[in-house]
Amino acid sequence: MSMLNGITTPIVNACRPLYNKVPSVSVVKEEFTRGISHIGQKWTSPQQRLITGVTALMTQPFIDYHNKNVDEKTRKSSVARTIAKIIIGTATGFAVRYACIKGIKYMSKLPSETRKSGKFLKKVQTFFTPKDRNYFANVEAREQYRNAMGTILSLFVMLFTNFSVDAPCTKKLANRIIAHQEKVDAQKNNTRKAEGGNQ
């Protein structure tokens, strides 16, 4: 340990004047922390799924296209599959989560909110309502409960939609993207040949 200190101490001492010249900056602003807090409290899993989808769409195809370990045709096919997978996955993930949260919201009403409903409909509308009415009377707690229950339900639903919706739709969209890209490439090649023949 003393040997390590003997090496690092001169480096730290040499860098200290430069470090001292760097102005002190408050990175975390009140507005920024308030915004992060708002996102954490108000944005539900459907919005979060959209964020991850958009982020993936802006990064993953770019990474696939610049993979130098495979030939250009394979890269283009990989990009097409990645784009299709992200678009379909994001769309179905958002839709399922949104629908499940709305469904839980409909089925977790307070008894006072179901006054005009029939007996059977009242049972349906209060099926997921907790027995602790005092806790559920709090609007914020109620929203968090509904979002959490809807997200849990959506995970079970997506076990089926991943195979019945995502997989076939992803394949169809990927094939359409590849076919379009091949058509564009063929047109470019024909243009180049025509320009080369005219010279």
Side-chain angles (χ1 to χ4, degrees):
M1 189 73 179
S2 59
M3 182 181 166
L4 187 62
N5 287 338
I7 295 169
T8 57
T9 302
I11 296 171
V12 170
N13 289 336
C15 295
R16 195 180 304 279
L18 180 64
Y19 172 79
N20 290 336
K21 287 183 180 179
V22 175
S24 178
V25 178
S26 177
V27 177
V28 180
K29 300 286 185 185
E30 190 178 333
E31 296 82 7
F32 178 76
T33 53
R34 197 183 299 124
I36 296 295
S37 177
H38 174 79
I39 290 170
Q41 291 175 3
K42 300 298 181 183
W43 287 24
T44 57
S45 58
Q47 286 100 343
Q48 292 165 8
R49 184 66 185 91
L50 277 179
I51 291 169
T52 56
V54 170
T55 305
L57 195 60
M58 291 190 304
T59 54
Q60 288 182 15
F62 179 81
I63 293 168
D64 286 349
Y65 188 74
H66 289 85
N67 180 10
K68 301 299 180 185
N69 296 324
V70 294
D71 60 280
E72 188 178 355
K73 187 176 180 181
T74 305
R75 284 203 305 268
K76 287 181 178 179
S77 297
S78 178
V79 168
R81 284 192 293 271
T82 299
I83 291 172
K85 188 177 179 182
I86 293 168
I87 290 172
I88 299 299
T90 302
T92 55
F94 175 83
V96 169
R97 285 171 172 85
Y98 183 81
C100 287
I101 289 172
K102 283 290 183 185
I104 291 292
K105 192 173 182 179
Y106 178 78
M107 296 175 73
S108 62
K109 291 183 178 180
L110 290 166
S112 58
E113 297 174 322
T114 62
R115 281 177 294 192
K116 296 179 181 178
S117 305
K119 194 174 181 181
F120 173 76
L121 207 55
K122 277 187 179 182
K123 284 186 178 181
V124 171
Q125 291 176 342
T126 58
F127 187 80
F128 286 107
T129 306
K131 291 180 181 178
D132 186 357
R133 298 288 191 263
N134 294 330
Y135 162 79
F136 213 57
N138 184 298
V139 176
E140 195 170 319
R142 195 186 316 169
E143 286 302 309
Q144 288 179 354
Y145 169 83
R146 287 168 172 170
N147 290 336
M149 287 292 290
T151 301
I152 292 167
L153 179 62
S154 70
L155 294 176
F156 288 102
V157 173
M158 284 186 288
L159 290 174
F160 301 98
T161 59
N162 282 344
F163 299 103
S164 60
V165 178
D166 284 33
C169 289
T170 298
K171 188 176 180 182
K172 286 180 182 178
L173 183 57
N175 289 339
R176 291 189 70 173
I177 294 170
I178 291 169
H180 176 74
Q181 185 60 50
E182 287 175 350
K183 187 178 178 181
V184 170
D185 290 344
Q187 287 175 348
K188 285 181 180 177
N189 289 335
N190 290 337
T191 304
R192 283 176 194 157
K193 286 177 183 178
E195 288 174 353
N198 294 332
Q199 290 175 356

